[in-house]
Amino acid sequence: AAALERHAAAPAPRGGDGDDAVWALCDDDKEAVKARVCDGLAEPVNRIQTAIAMCVATVAHWEWPERWPGLIEQLLPCAHSDDAHLRRGALRCLDMFASGENLEERYLDDVVRALSAEMLGIVREHERYDGMSVKRAVKIFGSCVTWMGMAHVNDDSERSYGALLGELLDAGWLDVLVAVVSADDGIDYDAADGDDAAAAAAAAG
């Protein structure tokens, strides 16, 4: 998508606060990014795919959820795609999104539940997916937990944080994490590291 490429190739952000700090994108380009996000994330060249994922995550930071309410619903089916390029692109974008400070507390619990359930499904079906995708799914869950810890800062929220974390662990993440730590999950994480290294080398080149 041309809008994604223009955004990714733009120079440093303009100064200022709020929307003024976003890379220069007109409203038409923002709408093009939203409409073609899945096409862009299916880009087979790692360097370009990474730039597009960064572009989507940057726009999402300012547009979601009020002006881009369907973002999560767009990305989650892509994260399960049989198209490896699209799946990796969607997971890369979700990883960037989950690693940012995008969520207000009023949205946090529902989105964390949705993301953690989808990522758990990927880890449980690891025979179907490549090591990079499974590794990134685990990382996204970790980012969700960090998100919750940062958002729930007062006494009342801490109790709610503990309850939600317990709910997620009981849903299956506890068994998954124990298997990951014990290296008894059947996943070739060394292969995943190699894929990440290759992607980094391609981006540097």
Side-chain angles (χ1 to χ4, degrees):
L4 291 168
E5 292 173 2
R6 284 197 298 274
H7 186 74
R14 297 187 307 224
D17 298 322
D19 289 333
D20 288 340
V22 183
W23 289 338
L25 265 187
C26 68
D27 288 341
D28 287 345
D29 276 355
K30 288 179 182 177
E31 293 308 311
V33 169
K34 296 173 189 178
R36 301 293 301 277
V37 59
C38 294
D39 291 342
L41 292 174
E43 166 61 46
V45 179
N46 278 322
R47 179 175 56 189
I48 299 175
Q49 184 191 87
T50 299
I52 289 172
M54 290 176 63
C55 160
V56 173
T58 300
V59 174
H61 179 78
W62 300 105
E63 299 280 300
W64 186 89
E66 285 84 0
R67 287 172 286 185
W68 197 353
L71 169 64
I72 303 298
E73 289 76 10
Q74 279 181 279
L75 290 176
L76 287 180
C78 299
H80 293 276
S81 175
D82 290 331
D83 180 335
H85 298 302
L86 177 56
R87 182 177 64 250
R88 290 181 180 184
L91 287 168
R92 180 172 278 138
C93 188
L94 285 168
D95 187 7
M96 293 175 182
F97 182 72
S99 299
E101 297 178 359
N102 297 285
L103 279 183
E104 297 178 29
E105 190 171 337
R106 58 185 167 143
Y107 305 120
L108 181 69
D109 291 1
D110 289 341
V111 174
V112 165
R113 282 189 180 96
L115 284 178
S116 64
E118 296 291 338
M119 297 307 105
L120 180 60
I122 290 174
V123 177
R124 280 177 164 168
E125 296 184 66
H126 59 80
E127 297 91 349
R128 175 185 168 190
Y129 301 106
D130 59 279
M132 179 192 290
S133 297
V134 177
K135 181 178 181 180
R136 204 176 291 277
V138 174
K139 184 172 182 287
I140 290 169
F141 174 72
S143 295
C144 288
V145 172
T146 301
W147 242 356
M148 292 190 299
M150 292 174 63
H152 295 294
V153 291
N154 58 53
D155 290 340
D156 290 337
S157 289
E158 283 178 7
R159 285 193 288 274
S160 133
Y161 166 67
L164 178 54
L165 181 57
E167 173 189 325
L168 300 180
L169 292 175
D170 289 344
W173 274 107
L174 181 59
D175 292 339
V176 165
L177 295 175
V178 168
V180 169
V181 171
S182 64
D184 190 29
D185 51 15
I187 301 169
D188 187 354
Y189 287 107
D190 289 335
D193 288 337
D195 286 339
D196 283 338

